[in-house]
Amino acid sequence: MEKIQIYVERLIEACGITGDTVSIVTHIILVIIAFLLAAIAGWICKRLFVPTILKLTSKTDATWDDVIFNEKVLLTACSIIPAIVIWLLLPWTFFEFPSVREVLTRLTAIYITVMSVRTVFVFIDSLKLLEKGQRTAKQQYLYSICGVLKIIMVFIAVIVVIAIIINKDPSTLFAGLGAASAILMLAFQDTIKGLVAGIRLTNNDMVHIGDWITLNSAGVNGRVEEITLTTVKVRNFDNTIVTVTPQALVDGSFQNWLGMEQNEGRKQSRKMYFDFRSIRLDDDGIANITKFRQHIEQWLKGNPKVIGDKNPLVRQAEASQGGCCLEFTFWLYAQAWADFEHDTADIMEYIYAASAEYGLTIYQQFPNQ
């Protein structure tokens, strides 16, 4: 760069420019050269370096390199290169203006720090894709670790930027963090609680991405889409997104339907009340409600929508002012919400209609009663 500086000064003098104008023109030309070199360095990285890396990773059998060294990570990293070139050339570009050089050097260093943290963030986010689509405890740990790494990077970046602004060694500021630890703990208490709650969710195998959970107090009834340090995002069946904290799941009581989905069938239990005055003995001495109960039980076992091996049951529950109560318990093959409700409706509608054939009257309270 010094040779370029001398060559530029001689070229300007050869053009007949003299006096203080030489210095100004020299600095302008050097700034233009510095920006051109930075732009060329950025172009080389994006047009040559990135495609080369992508070709190399695509030829390997491993998938981790395709995820970690993806195009977004590489392009974000390339955005730092022009700033580094500018930072290196500043001492020669503004050699006669030390105050300007010092300000621009600090601003460039801050930019490099911020973009470096941004690159690390993109890299950390790409780590989550290593376990994408897998409902494992490793995935939850990976998400928690990624969140912790981001917090650490933010701490480091803030300290480095402050050190650059006040022109201090960053190590001296890191040494003083011990005294400010209480303030930091207070500022990030939600994040720390979320981290602890996330670890508890993982260790106890309470919830995973893709699980169907219900949390009535927060209006949650849907699939878990994302679990982070501070939030759990759930897509309800009406496609609304509900966000709750991991702490709410750990401290509260929520229902996870994973066990039902992993096993065959879904349980249903319904009650029906009959008027006592419609219960009578038939000629063979057996009560009509007994025959009805036995018929429905056999009919449920033979119904193709019902899992007969799980022994459907029709039992007499405790009577009340509503009449004689029969409880129908059975397992349906359908697990999807709509199919389950439709199959239940078909079965109960048949039971309603069949009760009349046995002379039973379903209890119904009219408005004037």
Side-chain angles (χ1 to χ4, degrees):
M1 194 66 186
E2 291 179 354
K3 293 181 179 180
I4 296 176
Q5 173 186 336
I6 296 172
Y7 177 77
V8 169
E9 289 178 348
R10 291 177 179 177
L11 181 63
I12 292 173
E13 292 175 355
C15 293
I17 300 175
T18 58
D20 297 335
T21 310
V22 175
S23 176
I24 297 175
V25 175
T26 300
H27 282 85
I28 293 175
I29 294 176
L30 290 177
V31 169
I32 295 174
I33 292 174
F35 276 102
L36 287 175
L37 292 176
I40 293 172
W43 184 89
I44 292 174
C45 287
K46 292 181 179 180
R47 301 297 181 182
L48 299 179
F49 177 74
V50 172
T52 302
I53 296 297
L54 293 177
K55 287 182 179 179
L56 292 175
T57 55
S58 63
K59 292 180 179 179
T60 60
D61 296 331
T63 57
W64 63 267
D65 54 353
D66 298 322
V67 172
I68 295 177
F69 298 105
N70 60 72
E71 185 176 5
K72 187 175 182 181
V73 173
L74 296 176
L75 290 177
T76 307
C78 287
S79 62
I80 307 175
I81 302 301
I84 295 177
V85 174
I86 294 293
W87 182 72
L88 293 174
L89 295 180
L90 279 175
W92 291 278
T93 304
F94 294 93
F95 58 94
E96 290 185 358
F97 300 95
S99 58
V100 176
R101 182 181 67 237
E102 182 68 21
V103 172
L104 292 178
T105 299
R106 293 187 186 185
L107 291 176
T108 307
I110 292 174
Y111 174 82
I112 293 173
T113 303
V114 173
M115 293 305 299
S116 299
V117 173
R118 181 171 176 265
T119 302
V120 174
F121 273 23
V122 175
F123 176 77
I124 291 173
D125 289 335
S126 66
L127 292 177
K128 299 178 182 179
L129 301 177
L130 292 174
E131 294 291 324
K132 186 177 182 181
Q134 300 182 22
R135 189 183 296 164
T136 60
K138 184 191 295 186
Q139 184 189 51
Q140 305 304 324
Y141 279 120
L142 186 61
Y143 272 63
S144 298
I145 291 173
C146 289
V148 173
L149 290 176
K150 285 185 177 182
I151 294 174
I152 294 174
M153 289 306 304
V154 169
F155 273 129
I156 295 175
V158 170
I159 296 301
V160 172
V161 169
I162 293 175
I164 293 172
I165 293 174
I166 64 177
N167 197 23
K168 294 289 185 179
D169 188 356
S171 60
T172 58
L173 297 181
F174 281 112
L177 281 179
S181 59
I183 299 176
L184 295 175
M185 291 283 287
L186 180 62
F188 291 93
Q189 60 177 334
D190 292 338
T191 303
I192 295 172
K193 289 180 179 179
L195 174 61
V196 175
I199 294 175
R200 290 176 62 186
L201 288 175
T202 303
N203 286 340
N204 297 324
D205 201 26
M206 297 169 67
V207 67
H208 310 83
I209 293 177
D211 286 358
W212 170 16
I213 66 171
T214 302
L215 182 62
N216 295 326
S217 60
V220 173
N221 186 11
R223 300 280 179 181
V224 177
E225 289 195 342
E226 183 180 354
I227 302 176
T228 64
L229 287 178
T230 55
T231 59
V232 177
K233 292 183 179 180
V234 181
R235 181 180 294 273
N236 284 345
F237 290 104
D238 57 358
N239 282 330
T240 58
I241 303 295
V242 181
T243 303
V244 296
T245 62
Q247 195 72 23
L249 297 180
V250 172
D251 294 340
S253 177
F254 71 97
Q255 194 170 11
N256 193 328
W257 299 89
L258 178 63
M260 179 202 71
E261 293 183 327
Q262 290 180 341
N263 291 281
E264 184 184 26
R266 184 174 173 185
K267 185 181 178 182
Q268 180 62 283
S269 183
R270 292 291 183 89
K271 290 182 179 181
M272 185 183 298
Y273 292 88
F274 297 94
D275 193 335
F276 283 108
R277 292 169 292 186
S278 66
I279 300 175
R280 65 177 185 272
L281 292 175
D282 290 339
D283 295 337
D284 53 6
I286 301 176
N288 58 346
I289 195 171
T290 303
K291 293 181 180 180
F292 172 73
R293 178 171 51 82
Q294 294 172 348
H295 164 70
I296 295 300
E297 197 167 90
Q298 291 300 318
W299 179 80
L300 287 173
K301 290 180 180 179
N303 192 305
K305 299 178 180 180
V306 178
I307 304 176
D309 295 340
K310 293 197 174 184
N311 297 323
L313 177 64
V314 181
R315 74 180 188 93
Q316 187 174 141
E318 184 178 357
S320 67
Q321 293 180 350
C324 181
C325 179
L326 289 184
E327 184 178 28
F328 307 88
T329 303
F330 48 89
W331 293 77
L332 293 173
Y333 285 106
Q335 294 184 358
W337 175 55
D339 295 336
F340 176 77
E341 294 296 336
H342 290 160
D343 291 350
T344 300
D346 292 340
I347 290 172
M348 294 309 299
E349 287 162 2
Y350 172 83
I351 294 174
Y352 296 148
S355 63
E357 297 181 2
Y358 290 84
L360 294 171
T361 303
I362 300 175
Y363 177 79
Q364 181 177 353
Q365 186 175 4
F366 294 97
N368 59 352
Q369 291 182 345

